Amino acid sequence: MDKLFDIGARIAFGLFIFAVLATAILMRPPKGLSDFDQAFYLSVAYDLNHHGVFSSGVVDDMDRTIATPPPGMFFGPLYPWLIVGVTKLDDRFARTVDCGVEAHHGKRPDTDCDIYVWPVHIIHALLLTLGVLAVARAPESEPRPPRRGRGRCTEHYARAGLMVSTLLPDRARSGG
């Protein structure tokens, strides 16, 4: 019974965190698709949708509205694939992404584009919630050194350091 209550409490905590974050994100006025770094990811998602190519986005400096861009991997694949998934589920968001990319390439004015980013804001709230829950759970899953035995503590920390170093990207390990 206690375990069931513990699971229910964790689910309620997660839903509460999601509700708070989603409310905070959705209360802010939406930004246009050309603000910040959105054009980078939207252009990769556009290329996946229209050309079936995972490109380097706006970095390759070509008009993807008229030609298929070359394959590339300047950006990580997760976020563009999330955008593609949302465009497959929500036609209005797909039209917004298409319009944003076409406006970026001068095919239409920015003012023609609907600023409809609600689905992505919900995904951001979900990802932030998962991050909060991971941090909240970290003390529970932290590896603990053995209680007895000389030398075993050093071995434990060496293994933990090796595990962490394999999970971090090269730039994070080198300090760059």
Side-chain angles (χ1 to χ4, degrees):
M1 185 69 170
D2 287 338
K3 186 153 182 104
L4 186 60
F5 177 76
D6 189 40
I7 291 171
R10 288 174 191 245
I11 290 171
F13 177 69
L15 291 173
F16 172 74
I17 295 298
F18 175 76
V20 168
L21 289 170
T23 302
I25 289 171
L26 293 173
M27 285 178 61
R28 306 289 305 165
K31 305 278 191 256
L33 294 180
S34 60
D35 293 346
F36 307 113
D37 63 349
Q38 295 176 44
F40 296 118
Y41 302 105
L42 294 177
S43 60
V44 174
Y46 181 92
D47 294 340
L48 284 166
N49 270 336
H50 294 279
H51 305 294
V53 173
F54 193 97
S55 69
S56 291
V58 296
V59 175
D60 60 22
D61 197 31
M62 66 166 298
D63 188 354
R64 58 200 10 85
T65 62
I66 57 172
T68 301
M73 195 69 159
F74 189 80
F75 298 102
L78 181 61
Y79 195 71
W81 277 113
L82 279 173
I83 294 171
V84 168
V86 174
T87 61
K88 300 294 184 192
L89 296 172
D90 189 338
D91 288 335
R92 183 177 174 198
F93 182 70
R95 288 189 305 273
T96 300
V97 170
D98 289 351
C99 185
V101 171
E102 291 165 5
H104 181 76
H105 288 287
K107 301 296 181 192
R108 61 170 77 189
D110 280 338
T111 55
D112 286 357
C113 299
D114 183 20
I115 300 177
Y116 175 68
V117 291
W118 184 85
V120 174
H121 284 178
I122 294 298
I123 290 173
H124 290 174
L126 178 64
L127 293 173
L128 286 168
T129 300
L130 292 174
V132 168
L133 294 176
V135 169
R137 186 167 166 89
E140 296 174 8
S141 60
E142 182 178 296
R144 290 184 170 64
R147 293 182 188 253
R148 288 185 238 148
R150 292 187 116 190
R152 298 213 18 105
C153 186
T154 304
E155 177 187 348
H156 169 79
Y157 285 116
R159 285 184 185 167
L162 181 63
M163 179 184 73
V164 168
S165 70
T166 59
L167 297 175
L168 293 174
D170 288 335
R171 282 195 283 177
R173 284 191 300 228
S174 66

